[in-house]
Amino acid sequence: GSIRNYMIWVFERLKEEDDRAEMYLHESSLREFGEALNKVLIGKQRANLISEFKPMLVAQEKEDLGRLYELLKRLGEVMGLEPLRTIFCDFVQEAGQDAVKKVSGNQEATESMANKSRLFVQALLSVHELYAGILRDSFKDDPGLSKSLDRACQAFINENAMCKKAEDTEADAARLLATYCDTLLRKGNANARAAGEAGASSEDNLEKQLAQAICVYRYLSNFDVFHASYVRFFARRLVNEQSVSTHGEETMISLLKEVSGVDVTSRLSRMFSDITVSKDKIDQFKESTQNTRTFDYEFDMKVLNTASWPFKAPETKLKLPAELERAVDQYTEFFHKDRGGRRLNWL
């Protein structure tokens, strides 16, 4: 019969012999008996069992994979599990490379960076979720196989058909992931935010997709590129008031903080704070100048801390029309009454 039938037969025999040994043998003999049993029933078929591992992965036969794992586990780390870990790592890496290569030739991926980043991240997640499920269901989250999955994901996420050259920033995995996060968090990108589970709110679905983005983030080889790109996108969303929701922005900052710590997210938090304070200040300005305002149009501005934002102060003084100049002068006077030690550079 096939090796799969043999596995089922051996699994049943081993359970019977283990139960019988527990009943009739002294506990001092159990280990030696178990080793002899494993050598005869598993060890002699070790090569055949290992050779079936990859075909089972291809066919996604979770039950047989679990049975194979349990049998080879009885041979110990070196003889039983190490070969599986090597095969698993290589297989997942190849699957990831193939998945990205497939979407890289998609016409949609060439239309915009937003489309390219979405297809890229979805391809990565499809592979990770599939084999993380097999790791959980068939291999009981075996630590060694978990490390194999991590090594494979780090390899294919950072170097693939869309990310061949590190110097090509548009094709860098970190840049693509930052772009994907921006499409999720920016207004006007409903297509990027999947419908999610039936009955789930749009906020719940967004949280789920952000958590998936963080799953990819953990495997990046260049966090600095991601952080720099994310800050630029974040600044643009805040200044242009394009964030899909405050809750979404706060969720992403919280997730980044969990992985990389407060040092990474403190700048984002300061930027958020600047926007909140600016809104309060403009309300105070409108109230305090209600009867003394020198202009008759709506006026809005944002005071941003130079150290926190990725914007540079202009080398030349901003030249405004007379109508706008009056509003700027009046707000500057109001601002300095409260914070006289700070200088405003208008952009």
Side-chain angles (χ1 to χ4, degrees), residues 66-343:
R67 197 174 285 120
L68 177 64
Y69 166 76
E70 290 294 341
L71 290 176
L72 289 175
K73 184 180 178 182
R74 293 176 68 114
L75 295 182
E77 294 285 319
V78 176
M79 293 296 293
L81 295 183
E82 277 304 319
L84 298 190
R85 292 164 182 167
T86 300
I87 295 169
F88 188 56
C89 181
D90 293 343
F91 183 85
V92 174
Q93 184 174 341
E94 185 178 348
Q97 299 280 5
D98 289 345
V100 176
K101 185 177 181 180
K102 184 177 180 180
V103 299
S104 67
N106 191 312
Q107 174 64 32
E108 195 178 354
T110 65
E111 294 174 355
S112 69
M113 275 294 287
N115 285 349
K116 183 177 182 179
S117 67
R118 175 173 55 81
L119 292 170
F120 173 69
V121 173
Q122 288 174 350
L124 303 180
L125 289 171
S126 67
V127 174
H128 179 271
E129 290 176 1
L130 172 61
Y131 295 104
I134 289 176
L135 174 67
R136 179 187 63 249
D137 299 336
S138 301
F139 307 145
K140 298 181 179 178
D141 287 319
D142 176 84
L145 285 163
S146 180
K147 289 180 181 178
S148 294
L149 176 64
D150 289 342
R151 284 197 302 272
C153 289
Q154 187 166 28
F156 76 74
I157 283 174
N158 291 286
E159 189 171 345
N160 50 67
M162 287 186 175
C163 308
K164 292 182 178 179
K165 298 179 181 179
E167 66 270 15
D168 183 1
T169 56
E170 284 200 345
D172 185 87
R175 170 78 175 173
L176 285 169
L177 180 61
T179 303
Y180 175 72
C181 293
D182 182 55
T183 63
L184 292 179
L185 292 165
R186 182 163 38 86
K187 290 178 180 177
N189 289 300
N191 290 338
R193 293 182 288 276
E197 297 177 7
S201 69
S202 58
E203 289 287 5
D204 288 342
N205 290 331
L206 178 58
E207 283 186 17
K208 181 179 179 180
Q209 287 182 281
L210 292 175
Q212 290 173 331
I214 289 294
C215 176
V216 177
Y217 170 78
R218 292 175 185 272
Y219 293 114
L220 293 179
S221 60
N222 197 329
F223 287 120
D224 290 342
V225 170
F226 175 87
H227 297 153
S229 298
Y230 188 87
V231 165
R232 287 194 297 273
F233 286 129
F234 182 63
R236 202 178 304 166
R237 291 196 300 274
L238 293 186
V239 169
N240 296 326
E241 298 181 0
Q242 290 184 322
S243 291
V244 70
S245 73
T246 298
H247 176 71
E249 298 288 5
E250 290 174 340
T251 297
M252 187 62 182
I253 291 174
S254 177
L255 290 170
L256 286 170
K257 184 178 178 180
E258 287 179 14
V259 178
S260 297
V262 70
D263 289 344
V264 168
T265 58
S266 58
R267 182 182 184 183
L268 301 175
S269 297
R270 290 195 301 269
M271 292 164 69
F272 229 141
S273 177
D274 282 352
I275 296 298
T276 302
V277 171
S278 291
K279 289 179 180 177
D280 293 340
K281 295 300 289 184
I282 202 69
D283 289 341
Q284 294 170 19
F285 170 70
K286 290 177 180 178
E287 185 178 346
S288 66
T289 60
Q290 192 171 4
N291 300 320
T292 61
R293 202 174 302 166
T294 60
F295 53 94
D296 59 359
Y297 50 82
E298 281 297 314
F299 175 73
D300 189 25
M301 42 61 61
K302 296 173 177 64
V303 179
L304 312 179
N305 190 314
T306 305
S308 300
W309 292 76
F311 304 138
K312 292 183 179 180
E315 296 180 2
T316 57
K317 186 178 179 181
L318 184 66
K319 186 67 176 176
L320 295 170
E323 282 291 315
L324 286 177
E325 193 76 50
R326 287 200 295 272
V328 167
D329 289 344
Q330 192 165 11
Y331 184 84
T332 301
E333 182 183 353
F334 161 80
F335 183 82
H336 284 154
K337 285 180 181 178
D338 183 39
R339 301 188 178 188
R342 296 177 65 182
R343 186 178 67 178

Side-chain angles (χ1 to χ4, degrees), residues 21-22 24-37:
E22 288 282 347
Y24 298 114
L25 294 181
H26 189 272
E27 65 177 39
S28 61
S29 302
L30 291 178
R31 180 176 177 180
E32 186 176 348
F33 174 75
E35 290 176 350
L37 202 61

